[in-house]
Amino acid sequence: MSTINFAAREINFKLVYYGPGLSGKTTNLKQIHAHVPVESKGEMVSLQTEDERTLFFDFLPLDLGKVNGFKTRFHLYTVPGQVFYNASRRLILRGVDGVVFVADSAPNRLRANAESLRNLRENLAEHGLSLGDLPYVIQVNKRDLLDALPVEMIRAVLDPDGVSPLFEAVAQQHVGVIEPLKAVSKLVLEKLAQRA
Amino acid sequence: MLEPSLDLYGEAAERVEGLLVDLLTQSRARYALLIDRQGFVILHRRAAWAPKPPSLDSLATLIASNHSANEAIAQLFGEASFRETVQQSDGVGTYVESVGDKALLVTVFDASAPLGKVKLFTKRTLERIQAVLDETREAAPVADIGGSFSAHAGALLDELFGDGKAP
Ligand SMILES: Nc1nc2c(ncn2[C@@H]2O[C@H](COP(=O)(O)OP(=O)(O)OP(=O)(O)O)[C@@H](O)[C@H]2O)c(=O)[nH]1
Ligand SMILES: [Mg+2]
């Protein structure tokens, strides 16, 4: 949940990039880090294995500036997608305000996408949260693959009712990276407005 | 409603800042931070003689994540948490104590501060912070950030990210 720090007059939001292994979550954060102006970002922290797979998380703080006298910040995290790192994924979801689900367009990853979404629902439930109540968008990544599945097929698996905002992306080339981030951020702010 | 990360503001925040300063003086530690469990910095103080700290966002995130990982390890054995979290290298050390279930008190020290002192004064500071929090609990403020907050923040998002398309 968003936290307000009266002592420092700050409002902080936590956004988490979720999805199966190698779908491109870390690539998203690297791209955001590379394209946001220096004064609006902090250091990126990556806890990864030797072969650059996420071990615990990546972290990138973004600074939106002052809103009504409050310094407003988004903390971006990725989870490790590999199945056996579930304990870490669950920890990262603590206090989450919004989720970007990064799906892989490769035909042989369709099932991994579905499994990861199921896993996300389970882990959210452990924190007393459900996807329906949470700002949530889907990024269908790796659209550049020659054998990329049709987006509608991926949507049918991840969002059969067609209720979640969905963005196509080639994260590696910085295509479709900013849109889902901006969309989920706006949803988080809208939710805040409803509660206030 | 917006959750305050701690019921800490105004005069109480100033008192806690004072306690962090005392902690640094008494223990001879470099930095003292109050962070929430999600890794956001609430308050921090640096000893006048200490070198410039590394990125506090990175520090707070890593300490908070490390702490929840340690807690998860303890829970594998049916314990709620480990009794203490000390990390020490030749050059620098960190000592972490829980402040209730929402925050952590972090002391960063170097070889000039004996660990015993760091622990003693961190624990003492923890009790005092807890006392301040208990006193002010009833007076928790309404999280009034202004109705226009989301609209303003949304405008800043547009400014930061442009129209959302790749450049
Ligand atoms: N073809 C293609 N490859 C991509 C794209 N985005 C990322 N990749 C590649 O996919 C691989 C995995 O990317 P990561 O960002 O590390 O994936 P991840 O989701 O963080 O993986 P885990 O940390 O294991 O969960 C890398 O080799 C990237 O270069 C894309 O849009 N198209
Ligand atoms: Mg990764």
Side-chain angles (χ1 to χ4, degrees), chain A residues 4 68 73 75 179 182 189, chain B residues 3 40 57 150 152 162 164:
Chain A
I4 184 162
N68 294 5
R73 295 153 22 114
H75 278 189
E179 292 88 339
K182 197 171 156 186
L189 291 169
Chain B
E3 282 279 315
F40 294 110
D57 281 334
S150 295
H152 285 174

Side-chain angles (χ1 to χ4, degrees), chain A residues 1 14-16 18 47 55-57 77-80 85-97 119-120 122-124 126-127 129, chain B residues 37-39 61-76 80:
Chain A
M1 81 213 64
K14 179 173 183 176
L15 305 179
V16 174
Y18 213 93
L47 301 184
L55 176 62
F56 198 173
F57 59 81
Y77 287 82
T78 71
V79 298
Y85 290 141
N86 194 45
S88 306
R89 274 194 295 281
R90 202 179 307 142
L91 292 178
I92 306 300
L93 284 176
R94 176 182 197 144
V96 63
D97 292 302
N119 173 256
L120 170 60
E122 281 170 12
N123 282 335
L124 284 174
E126 298 256 345
H127 293 278
L129 296 168
Chain B
R37 297 247 175 170
Q38 293 168 46
T61 292
L62 289 169
I63 297 237
S65 311
N66 192 31
H67 190 84
S68 30
N70 279 327
E71 235 170 39
I73 294 170
Q75 282 159 12
L76 289 179

